Amino acid sequence: MAFNSFRDFVERLAAAGELERISKPVATELEITELADRQMKSAGGGKALLIEKPTVNGQVSPFPLAINTMGSAKRMAMSLGADSIESVAAELGSLLKARPPTGMREALKLLGTALELRHARPRVVKTGPCKEVIHNFEAPVTGTQAWAAAPSTETATGMANPATLLNLPIQKCWPMDGGRFLTLPCVVTKDPDTGERNIGMYRMQVYDERTTGMHWQLQKVGARHGRRYYETGKRMPVAVFLGGDPAFTFCATAPLPDGLDEFLLAGYLRKASVELVKCETNELEVPANADFVIEGYVDPKEPLRDEGPFGDHTGYYTLPEPYPVFHITALTHRREAIYPATIVGAPPMEDFYIGSASVKLFLPIFKMNFPELVDLALPAEGVFHNLVFASIKKSYPMQAFKIMHGLWGMGQMMFTKYIVVVDEDVDVHNTREVLFRLCANTDPQRDSIFTKGPADVLDHATSEIGMGTKLGIDATRKLPGEGFKRRWPPLIKMDAAVKEKIEQILQAK
Ligand SMILES: Cc1cc2nc3c(=O)[nH]c(=O)nc-3n(C[C@H](O)[C@H](O)[C@H](O)COP(=O)(O)O)c2cc1C
């Protein structure tokens, strides 16, 4: 089911008892973090918060802020208009079973074809609510289109303070942060060679009213598009949107293969094609029902600028590193926009639920590649991808190692530092169960492998940025061909009949 706006979703959360309204003024500097962190650390992810009067430097912002809106299994499913992520994954799985693809890319291509049949491709419309207020800062980026440098229409809204990066409720999340950061921006770029679109979530540090950082990390698609512009020296158009249907926000975080349009996945998930509008000052398109759109460009001729420090999803501050500067040419928004936000930091945080949804959704596709794969879990303590538990139906020696190498070779799984493989009867979502098997079933040297590969650039523990070592541990039952010469003992389990009888006795009490 599609949401018409972020507000629509926030109201749905309120109706479901999933939202707490905070009517007292709360500072965007640190205070919102403290409020939200308490929710995110409470059982099951706590509640979403609507901060009705966020303050910026002591002044109430013209816009409310909503946070932790996807920070529980229930709210994550609600954001995709579903009862559970498992049901969405099952639907996706059955779609792919019709003609099993051989890989992730082919699987999503197949998905694209299915979507086309459903008429769920994005389509461009003339205008939309994201343009209710248009603030055009300057003349167009490209000379080919005759975009008029329209005067600001802010006064038409009757707003005392026109929306700018300085009065939007943009948080300074943690005490040592280098400034304010947009934490849920969906960044739209295009491959200059193929025209293929990408939407990625890359945080943005506000430098001033007209410039921000653009934190697309080395291995991300936005960064790859950027490198092509740096090679040609041409200005790179970039559009950022916030809000609208929460499915867009989720899709921006989803690790889709390079070249696959996130709006296609969004159209599939929300069961309605995404309506797009052209930006005012460049040729990119953004969802018509977004809450805020920030248009601009990255200039390859300009030196990179330090971004950070930022209290990151690793639970540590990421120290300043050079990133491109994003120049803003226009800011458009809904009149009644709600500013979407999150925080990252020591786990568990909202991003655990967002990441888990991606894993569940793409599990059917992983299974196409690895038929022995039963389940995958990325525990919150591994902050997204540091730690992966995989269960497999093992039928030949060294199969656990095959899975490890396969996973390290799949998209953003390359960032995984530790992979633990267990047998099919282990619930990988129960860390206690996995640790039990890990300790019980391994001879450390025989059952582990160290290898090398790319690392998350945010990982402060690697000796070099962006590269590191990986450890895989085979915690499955050993087969004769695996150098194990003794008898494998049976696992202790109670008889089913005894369990049933005791159950009856307890219930009769
Ligand atoms: C809340 C949140 C913040 C994120 N911030 C960043 C970021 O600043 N830079 C980055 O490269 N990835 C960030 N990510 C991860 C990317 O959004 C994710 O890897 C995504 O798949 C990238 O899209 P791409 O493959 O199209 O580049 C963030 C994810 C979440 C959930």
Side-chain angles (χ1 to χ4, degrees), residues 182-185 187 198-204 214-223 249-258 260 262 307 310 312-313 323 342-344 350-352 354-355 358 384-385 412 415 457-458:
L182 291 118
T183 52
L184 279 182
V187 179
N198 188 71
I199 299 106
M201 176 156 298
Y202 317 122
R203 69 167 183 250
M204 292 156 60
M214 184 50 74
H215 188 257
W216 47 50
Q217 295 155 14
L218 178 67
Q219 303 99 338
K220 305 300 169 73
V221 181
T249 306
F250 168 70
C251 290
T253 71
L256 292 193
D258 192 347
L260 279 156
E262 279 78 2
E307 194 263 11
F310 179 67
D312 227 314
H313 77 105
Y323 277 90
T342 191
I343 50 165
V344 293
E350 182 175 10
D351 60 355
F352 167 68
I354 302 175
S358 271
F384 236 52
H385 42 234
Q412 293 184 34
F415 300 132
V457 298
L458 305 179

Side-chain angles (χ1 to χ4, degrees), residues 178 205-215 230 299 302-308 319-327:
Q205 177 175 358
V206 176
Y207 294 136
D208 57 43
E209 196 178 345
R210 297 281 297 278
T211 57
T212 75
M214 184 50 74
H215 188 257
Y230 278 79
D299 184 356
E302 185 180 10
L304 302 178
R305 179 171 170 176
D306 267 358
E307 194 263 11
L319 301 178
E321 285 290 336
Y323 277 90
V325 177
F326 173 58
H327 291 265

Side-chain angles (χ1 to χ4, degrees), residues 84-108 110-111 250 255-256 265 268-269 355-377 391 403 407 410 413 429:
S84 71
I85 295 298
E86 286 76 7
S87 64
V88 186
E91 201 199 334
L92 188 64
S94 57
L95 192 75
L96 299 173
K97 267 196 193 118
R99 205 192 70 198
T102 55
M104 181 89 162
R105 173 167 274 273
E106 200 193 316
L108 282 144
L110 178 69
L111 180 65
F250 168 70
L256 292 193
L265 178 65
Y268 168 77
L269 292 172
S356 299
S358 271
V359 175
K360 283 185 186 151
L361 226 55
F362 295 121
L363 186 62
I365 297 170
F366 278 34
K367 283 185 177 179
M368 302 276 170
N369 268 4
F370 310 114
E372 62 272 72
L373 188 64
V374 176
D375 206 355
L376 269 184
S391 56
I403 285 294
L407 290 177
M410 284 197 82
M413 282 286 184
H429 302 282

Side-chain angles (χ1 to χ4, degrees), residues 15 42 63 102 173 213 427 451 464:
S42 53
F63 301 96
T102 55
C173 299
D427 175 8
T451 187
E464 298 276 343

Side-chain angles (χ1 to χ4, degrees), residues 13 95 171 190 213 221 226 295 328 401 477:
L13 291 178
L95 192 75
Q171 305 133 278
K190 271 194 177 169
V221 181
E295 306 175 9
I328 297 167
F401 292 94
R477 174 197 170 123

Side-chain angles (χ1 to χ4, degrees), residues 435-464:
L435 292 183
F436 160 55
R437 298 297 183 102
L438 168 68
C439 298
N441 284 359
T442 55
D443 175 277
Q445 193 164 29
R446 182 198 62 206
D447 297 330
S448 62
I449 187 167
F450 279 100
T451 187
K452 294 177 185 176
D456 182 355
V457 298
L458 305 179
D459 187 339
H460 59 269
T462 59
S463 303
E464 298 276 343

